[in-house]
Amino acid sequence: MQAIMQIFLARNNVQAGPYQLEQLNIMLASGEVLLDDLMWHEGLAQWQRVGDLTNNQTVYRPTGANTPEVNDSIINNVTVFPEDTNKAKDDKSVSLDRLYGKPERPKNVKADMTTNRHQTPHNNVSLNKSTLKKAVADNDKVVGNVVLAPIMSRVLATALNGLLYILAILPLVMALTKMDVDYTKFQNIQDMDAAYQYSMTLMESLPSSTLMMSQVMVFGLFALQLVFITIRGQSLGKLITGIRVVDQTTHRLPSFIKLIGTRTLLLFIIYNLLFSFTSFLGFVIIAIHYYMASKSPENIGWHDKLAKTLVVKADSSQLAKKSKSE
């Protein structure tokens, strides 16, 4: 036997429902339910923003799911507020405002359409507060319980990392500008040994204090980057832009091998070789990576394919260690 669609809502880390479709549309029209709230019902793979399901209209018209089969076992864990314990057994209704974490309005202001039953869908989607806040932006791409980092944020993070490197070698660059450098020595790709020997000669010509300062700044920057990448999954550029690398499967901090071995050291070697041949080739490969990411539904470029990672908006829950029960 088919049952009436049961719809559940969530806002501010609180779930409410179930509602019937007619009730939902009344609350949408009255403004009690917002387009930025989250919604789930049988047939949806995960919680979704209400506005995304209604095309930002104040009426919901589900396609092909008006009377889905509903398993009553998905509704459990009744939420009982302390002040409700002394009420009559048949008075179990709780206002939408209270379930959404706001002061309750008097019952004579608007009819109560909710029941105080708490539901957890099959896919166990996380409803922590940070996830809910991130899911409301129209331009955000959501995968499971994470919000993908915008491409421009990733480009900015890369640019910031490059700027930090330039600042680290600035004393060395300033010293070299005062020397008569023969740049043709570095243009012959087939004679890399001669270019290396010439670069060593230049280094020996530099003041020892300048060389030491540059080395301290460069190695200090690399050490700092490695610490933040290992502990937080963020380079300094990603830390500034508020994005992070997570595992494609767990949506948490990737393993040390993925973070340091693949996404850091291996990529560093690849790009160091590319830029040593020609700077143009290195920038082309970077551009290809971000072009691939912009065309991917999950913003996956070739860096991400290589390490099986995602770049997402940073959230503290991503740093939590996986429990044994998971």
Side-chain angles (χ1 to χ4, degrees):
M1 178 180 176
Q2 288 189 330
I4 297 173
M5 173 184 289
Q6 300 187 66
I7 300 171
F8 298 87
L9 301 169
R11 184 196 300 168
N12 295 333
N13 202 33
V14 180
Q15 294 173 227
Y19 306 101
Q20 297 178 15
L21 180 61
E22 181 182 2
Q23 292 176 314
L24 172 65
N25 285 330
I26 291 173
M27 291 186 290
L28 276 170
S30 68
E32 280 189 286
V33 173
L34 306 177
L35 296 180
D36 284 336
D37 291 340
L38 298 182
M39 180 167 70
W40 181 89
H41 60 72
E42 191 78 12
L44 293 180
Q46 62 185 22
W47 289 89
Q48 296 188 40
R49 180 177 173 272
V50 173
D52 292 340
L53 293 170
T54 66
N55 291 320
N56 290 320
Q57 303 299 313
T58 55
V59 60
Y60 181 43
R61 299 186 181 91
T63 56
N66 287 328
T67 55
E69 292 288 346
V70 177
N71 184 351
D72 194 55
S73 65
I74 67 172
I75 307 171
N76 48 32
N77 299 327
V78 176
T79 301
V80 180
F81 292 87
E83 59 268 38
D84 292 334
T85 55
N86 296 326
K87 289 186 178 181
K89 291 183 179 180
D90 58 347
D91 183 18
K92 292 185 179 180
S93 61
V94 178
S95 76
L96 187 68
D97 279 347
R98 186 198 287 175
L99 279 173
Y100 276 4
K102 301 192 306 185
E104 185 177 8
R105 291 173 291 180
K107 286 189 176 182
N108 58 1
V109 174
K110 197 162 287 186
D112 178 12
M113 294 183 181
T114 67
T115 62
N116 65 338
R117 303 175 75 184
H118 182 282
Q119 181 270 343
T120 304
H122 294 302
N123 56 353
N124 296 321
V125 175
S126 170
L127 281 176
N128 56 66
K129 293 182 180 179
S130 56
T131 301
L132 293 180
K133 289 177 182 177
K134 290 174 182 175
V136 300
D138 291 337
N139 296 330
D140 280 341
K141 291 183 180 180
V142 181
V143 176
N145 61 343
V146 295
V147 182
L148 297 179
I151 300 298
M152 289 310 300
S153 295
R154 297 174 61 175
V155 173
L156 179 59
T158 300
L160 288 172
N161 285 328
L163 179 61
L164 289 172
Y165 177 73
I166 291 173
L167 291 175
I169 64 171
L170 189 60
L172 182 62
V173 173
M174 296 296 293
L176 289 174
T177 56
K178 298 177 182 180
M179 300 175 61
D180 185 17
V181 180
D182 184 6
Y183 292 101
T184 59
K185 297 282 189 181
F186 302 101
Q187 295 175 357
N188 187 358
I189 298 176
Q190 295 179 347
D191 195 0
M192 295 300 295
D193 185 59
Y196 175 77
Q197 293 297 331
Y198 182 65
S199 64
M200 290 297 100
T201 302
L202 290 175
M203 293 299 105
E204 292 172 359
S205 303
L206 292 172
S208 58
S209 59
T210 300
L211 193 58
M212 181 176 294
M213 181 187 298
S214 182
Q215 288 175 338
V216 168
M217 291 178 68
V218 169
F219 284 114
L221 175 63
F222 283 160
L224 199 59
Q225 292 277 35
L226 287 174
V227 168
F228 275 96
I229 291 171
T230 303
I231 297 176
R232 302 183 58 85
Q234 296 171 296
S235 63
L236 293 176
K238 286 183 172 64
L239 181 67
I240 294 170
T241 53
I243 61 179
R244 169 179 289 122
V245 175
V246 297
D247 188 275
Q248 284 184 12
T249 303
T250 65
H251 293 174
R252 294 184 181 178
L253 206 63
S255 65
F256 181 83
I257 294 176
K258 285 184 178 181
L259 270 178
I260 302 301
T262 306
R263 277 200 67 105
T264 304
L265 297 181
L266 181 58
L267 288 179
F268 176 79
I269 293 171
I270 291 173
Y271 280 108
N272 193 46
L273 290 173
L274 290 172
F275 278 99
S276 66
F277 283 108
T278 169
S279 298
F280 175 77
L281 182 59
F283 286 118
V284 167
I285 300 301
I286 292 175
I288 290 174
H289 165 66
Y290 287 119
Y291 177 78
M292 289 175 60
S294 67
K295 296 300 180 180
S296 165
E298 296 183 344
N299 291 0
I300 294 177
W302 74 267
H303 296 179
D304 311 297
K305 284 183 178 292
L306 189 66
K308 292 181 171 34
T309 54
L310 295 174
V311 181
V312 302
K313 288 187 177 181
D315 182 83
S316 58
S317 63
Q318 297 151 3
L319 299 176
K321 291 184 178 180
K322 203 172 182 180
S323 64
K324 293 181 180 179
S325 61
E326 290 186 81

